[in-house]
Amino acid sequence: MLSKNNKKAWLYLLPALILLLLFMVYPLIDVFIYSFEEGYNSASGVFFGYGGYNYSYVLHDPYFLQAVRNTFIIVIITVPLSTAFALLISLGLSSIKKLKELYQTVFFLPYVTNTLAVGLVFMILFRKTAYTDGLVNLLITFFGGETVDFIQGPYWAKMFVMCFYTIWVVLPFKILILTSALASVPQEYYNAAKIDGTSKWRTFTKITLPYISPMILYLVITGFIGAFKAYSDEVALFGTDLNGAGMNTIVGYVYDMLYGNSGGFPSYASAAAIILFAIVLTITVINLMVSGKNTANIG
Amino acid sequence: MKVVLSHLTKRFPNRNKKIKTEVTAVSDFDIEIPDGKLIGLLGPSGCGKSTILNLISGLEQPSEGRVYFGDEDVTELPPEKRGIGLVFQNYALYPHLTVLQNIMFPLENLKGEEKMSKEAIRAKAVETAKLVQIEDYLDRKPSELSGGQQQRVAIARALVKRPNVLLLDEPLSNLDARLRLQTREEIKRIQKETGVTTIFVTHDQDEAMSISDYIIVMKAGILQQVGRPQDVYDDPCNLFVAKFLGVPPVNVFDGMVRNGRLFIGENDVLGVSGLKDCDVYVGVRPEGYLVEEDGLLKCGLRSVEVQGRDTSIIATNAAAEGGSFRAIVIAEYAPDPKADKVNLNIKPNKVYLFDRDTEERISCSVSR
């Protein structure tokens, strides 16, 4: 039986619950149903029947497989690297005294900058055109290397720029979280460590790292999820024809299936979206299981 | 090891950056702390006690003055080279390590010639855990321990390196009343067993009085008085020390000396020798009163309270600070609670006279 307090709690939760049901749960179920409707025609709204053909089609589509490969490469490279860089920069930031606020602002700037604007800057830096080799290529030739077209050239070059860009864009948020996490480590622990004659490295690995490990876990999980959902960053660098550029992602594939030039197939899009959901869910569960053992229980 | 603080001064920049003047936390602190004793560093909150502790530990550098351990000048030495153990107010146990790992931590830091084998570290940590009687909880995390047990772990971690000096910052303030009594006996026992020079900071005079071999009373960064607890209590050097030690606190009256007699208000209460006519503050310990028919100090009676084994009376007198005071009396002589007047005589050895301006103790002899 519901107690009076319980009823009250549900009443307060009601507005949020209604919105969640309407805009989260219902579409989720709908997408799930769509993904099993074979031969759905978006104009007439009719379909042949239910079955797994949409999944079979998507999983055999070379564009989808390319998208999955790209997404996984981006995730596996950018999440660990960006977290590690963010940790290094945060440690640097928390150890300096002069102009600390200024540096924090500078490092946070990319976060408030428009993705497309950042993409434009990256294009200017990396693109090689008939008129100019671009700034990065100038540097490469200066050190005696061969010029590369990073935007329309070989796959590895494009992937390099893509990862570089992704790390650059996600770094500020991680720095923000980690600097505040570092600041929350009580000074007493450092004083105690100092009196015990603890080396800097041991202080870091035995005190700082365990203390901020819940935050690092949070960043890794949200980083994975965010990287799996990447799409706009790719558009910012390579334009809307991502399949043509060979740089599509899973979310990009879903979009193309819905609205792109080859679009108009909500069933295929739904199937791809459900596959993405399954991947993200699996990775997150694995993450939680692995880190559950290693994260310190602070309290 | 004896600890000598020689003319220590510590100034901090003002927290409000716009104010350029510095805050003096400790001023010309000069003291020699004897070897192997338990010393209570006592004073009200914000008087610089913890700063003194940090100066001894090396976490802070003095603005002026030197710190000696034995004959060695350690002023320039970093904390880890001083051979000290420090127990923090909130213990600062590493939350993700077990009790045993916490105690082993300082030993694992040792390098070079001092480096110890894993077995030796473990053995020493267990031995220290036994000393503080925490050996049954070695595999627990600090969050699974009570406050008193955490305290013991913190002491064990501070002691495991066999420090020359053990420092405790408000060791009992995070414990409840019952545990506090237990733990202070425990600190006394551990100190006796190890013989390590121990300095603990407290604002609780009861705590300091009960377990210290010596107490150091300070106020606003300035040393007031040093001595055995009972000596300081019996013979305070100024009004602050007299008021700070003792529960209930000393009663303070406006008084004057005229022709070798001490007056409280209108009442001629005691004889004074060796003092010219002057105005004074009269401090009387609460236990320094006798209820007598012909008592010389005429007071109003507000109430009679029986608290456990003590009977105290709340009396009123225009000359008393705040208009009323509390006196602890022998139960069988307690006045009738319904009476509205009470006459008191004052025991001469419980009376102190203080200068009105400097609040320093005036030396003189007082008699009936």
Side-chain angles (χ1 to χ4, degrees):
Chain A
M1 206 184 87
L2 285 177
S3 71
K4 205 176 166 188
N5 256 339
N6 243 329
K7 278 184 198 159
K8 228 182 210 174
W10 283 109
L11 182 69
Y12 292 149
L13 284 172
L14 205 56
L17 279 179
I18 288 175
L19 289 176
L20 272 174
L21 283 174
L22 208 60
F23 293 108
M24 282 285 299
V25 179
Y26 168 69
L28 255 174
I29 296 169
D30 223 26
V31 165
F32 193 72
I33 294 170
Y34 266 143
S35 73
F36 286 100
E37 289 176 355
E38 289 180 353
Y40 179 82
N41 185 320
S42 55
S44 58
V46 292
F47 58 97
F48 304 141
Y50 293 100
Y53 173 74
N54 297 327
Y55 286 92
S56 159
Y57 174 87
V58 167
L59 288 171
H60 288 97
D61 186 349
Y63 282 141
F64 181 75
L65 297 178
Q66 175 71 46
V68 170
R69 194 167 77 136
N70 288 339
T71 308
F72 266 89
I73 292 174
I74 292 171
V75 165
I76 287 165
I77 291 179
T78 63
V79 173
L81 277 185
S82 63
T83 312
F85 284 147
L87 187 57
L88 279 178
I89 294 171
S90 310
L91 282 171
L93 275 176
S94 49
S95 62
I96 56 169
K97 294 208 172 61
K98 268 187 186 169
L99 299 177
K100 191 173 180 172
E101 284 87 1
L102 177 72
Y103 283 114
Q104 274 175 346
T105 314
V106 168
F107 278 109
F108 197 62
L109 271 179
Y111 191 69
V112 290
T113 315
N114 188 301
T115 315
L116 296 175
V118 180
L120 195 67
V121 173
F122 266 71
M123 279 212 347
I124 293 166
L125 286 176
F126 283 97
R127 188 161 61 175
K128 184 178 165 184
T129 64
Y131 312 104
T132 168
D133 284 350
L135 197 64
V136 174
N137 272 321
L138 278 179
L139 279 174
I140 291 177
T141 39
F142 180 79
F143 287 107
E146 291 273 315
T147 59
V148 185
D149 186 347
F150 284 95
I151 304 297
Q152 281 155 351
Y155 178 71
W156 66 265
K158 286 190 279 195
M159 191 46 86
F160 171 77
V161 178
M162 193 61 245
C163 291
F164 194 134
Y165 176 91
T166 307
I167 292 172
W168 175 258
V169 169
V170 297
L171 211 47
F173 178 69
K174 298 191 172 189
I175 293 173
L176 180 78
I177 296 289
L178 287 178
T179 35
S180 60
L182 286 173
S184 75
V185 184
Q187 183 62 34
E188 268 93 4
Y189 291 134
Y190 292 127
N191 282 347
K194 209 192 272 176
I195 283 176
D196 293 341
T198 319
S199 66
K200 280 217 165 117
W201 175 247
R202 199 167 136 83
T203 307
F204 175 70
T205 55
K206 291 283 173 180
I207 297 168
T208 313
L209 214 49
Y211 205 90
I212 63 171
S213 58
M215 272 301 151
I216 293 179
L217 172 66
Y218 163 77
L219 287 180
V220 168
I221 288 179
T222 54
F224 267 113
I225 294 171
F228 270 115
K229 295 201 306 194
Y231 170 55
S232 58
D233 301 344
E234 284 67 16
V235 172
L237 278 180
F238 303 109
T240 47
D241 186 13
L242 289 173
N243 279 338
M247 291 305 295
N248 211 351
T249 62
I250 302 177
V251 173
Y253 180 86
V254 171
Y255 178 85
D256 285 345
M257 274 300 165
L258 280 173
Y259 306 113
N261 292 332
S262 55
F265 300 102
S267 300
Y268 296 154
S270 301
I274 294 291
I275 293 171
L276 174 62
F277 177 72
I279 295 172
V280 172
L281 190 69
T282 315
I283 300 271
T284 307
V285 169
I286 292 173
N287 258 330
L288 284 172
M289 271 165 33
V290 169
S291 53
K293 289 170 197 153
N294 301 329
T295 313
N297 191 4
I298 310 284
Chain B
M1 186 169 286
K2 80 172 179 187
V3 176
V4 181
L5 308 181
S6 170
H7 300 285
L8 275 191
T9 298
K10 178 67 184 176
R11 286 180 287 267
F12 290 106
N14 204 301
R15 271 197 200 146
N16 184 345
K17 282 176 187 165
K18 284 175 194 152
I19 302 173
K20 289 280 180 239
T21 54
E22 292 180 314
V23 179
T24 306
V26 174
S27 173
D28 198 27
F29 207 87
D30 198 52
I31 194 169
E32 187 175 320
I33 293 163
D35 179 31
K37 298 288 189 219
L38 180 58
I39 284 95
L41 188 54
L42 179 64
S45 297
C47 75
K49 307 181 293 282
S50 293
T51 307
I52 296 265
L53 218 58
N54 287 341
L55 290 172
I56 298 174
S57 68
L59 288 173
E60 304 265 10
Q61 280 294 311
S63 310
E64 283 162 38
R66 315 295 299 173
V67 180
Y68 299 91
F69 284 6
D71 295 323
E72 190 193 355
D73 185 346
V74 297
T75 317
E76 316 292 341
L77 282 185
E80 68 270 18
K81 298 258 170 68
R82 294 192 179 191
I84 46 152
L86 177 52
V87 177
F88 291 84
Q89 187 168 358
N90 56 4
Y91 317 137
L93 298 174
Y94 307 125
H96 52 283
L97 301 180
T98 64
V99 167
L100 184 65
Q101 286 169 334
N102 262 288
I103 301 174
M104 290 183 352
F105 196 87
L107 296 177
E108 289 166 348
N109 288 328
L110 296 174
K111 276 180 281 207
E113 284 176 20
E114 292 175 307
K115 198 168 167 57
M116 293 166 66
S117 71
K118 280 208 164 138
E119 296 75 42
I121 287 176
R122 203 192 148 83
K124 208 163 180 194
V126 171
E127 182 195 325
T128 314
K130 278 186 182 145
L131 173 73
V132 300
Q133 297 173 350
I134 198 82
E135 69 270 24
D136 295 336
Y137 305 99
L138 292 178
D139 292 326
R140 296 226 191 148
K141 293 278 175 70
S143 56
E144 297 162 345
L145 299 178
S146 71
Q149 291 164 339
Q150 289 184 25
Q151 167 78 275
R152 284 161 198 248
V153 179
I155 293 176
R157 188 180 64 182
L159 282 175
V160 74
K161 267 186 171 176
R162 299 290 171 262
N164 300 320
V165 180
L166 177 64
L167 308 168
L168 303 122
D169 192 357
E170 298 272 5
L172 306 175
S173 62
N174 284 358
L175 304 176
D176 60 47
R178 182 185 292 261
L179 210 51
R180 210 175 282 184
L181 282 177
Q182 259 177 34
T183 308
R184 71 188 195 194
E185 295 311 318
E186 193 62 17
I187 291 175
K188 181 84 188 162
R189 178 186 67 79
I190 293 167
Q191 193 272 329
K192 272 222 170 108
E193 238 166 84
T194 56
V196 60
T197 308
T198 303
I199 303 168
F200 75 100
V201 156
T202 178
H203 61 267
D204 182 345
Q205 56 89 29
D206 194 33
E207 213 169 285
M209 299 273 291
S210 58
I211 60 170
S212 311
D213 295 318
Y214 289 93
I215 57 171
I216 301 169
V217 186
M218 61 185 294
K219 172 198 172 190
I222 296 166
L223 177 66
Q224 305 289 312
Q225 195 169 358
V226 188
R228 293 178 187 283
Q230 196 60 42
D231 295 348
V232 177
Y233 180 82
D234 288 338
D235 200 9
C237 72
N238 61 32
L239 187 59
F240 171 80
V241 176
K243 276 179 162 175
F244 199 71
L245 295 184
V247 176
V250 75
N251 304 138
V252 181
F253 299 92
D254 288 333
M256 55 187 181
V257 177
R258 294 288 181 270
N259 298 325
R261 296 298 298 176
L262 174 66
F263 290 79
I264 289 177
E266 302 288 298
N267 302 134
D268 175 355
V269 289
L270 290 165
V272 183
S273 60
L275 193 58
K276 282 184 246 163
D277 289 2
C278 59
D279 288 350
V280 292
Y281 286 123
V282 185
V284 185
R285 291 286 177 203
E287 66 275 21
Y289 300 93
L290 298 165
V291 181
E292 280 170 351
E293 200 65 22
D294 58 349
L296 293 171
L297 183 62
K298 316 282 184 210
C299 301
L301 182 63
R302 187 175 286 165
S303 61
V304 178
E305 290 174 5
V306 180
Q307 291 169 325
R309 60 196 149 68
D310 287 338
T311 301
S312 57
I313 61 176
I314 314 288
T316 57
N317 187 300
E321 195 180 56
S324 68
F325 61 96
R326 177 184 290 269
I328 296 173
V329 297
I330 300 162
E332 52 204 282
Y333 296 114
D336 180 2
K338 294 193 192 83
D340 55 359
K341 284 199 172 62
V342 63
N343 295 336
L344 301 168
N345 272 323
I346 299 173
K347 299 176 190 167
N349 60 340
K350 294 288 179 184
V351 175
Y352 319 114
L353 302 186
F354 302 98
D355 188 286
R356 275 281 173 98
D357 300 319
T358 63
E359 301 193 348
E360 289 297 313
R361 177 89 177 273
I362 302 170
S363 66
C364 58
S365 73
V366 183
S367 59
R368 286 302 269 275

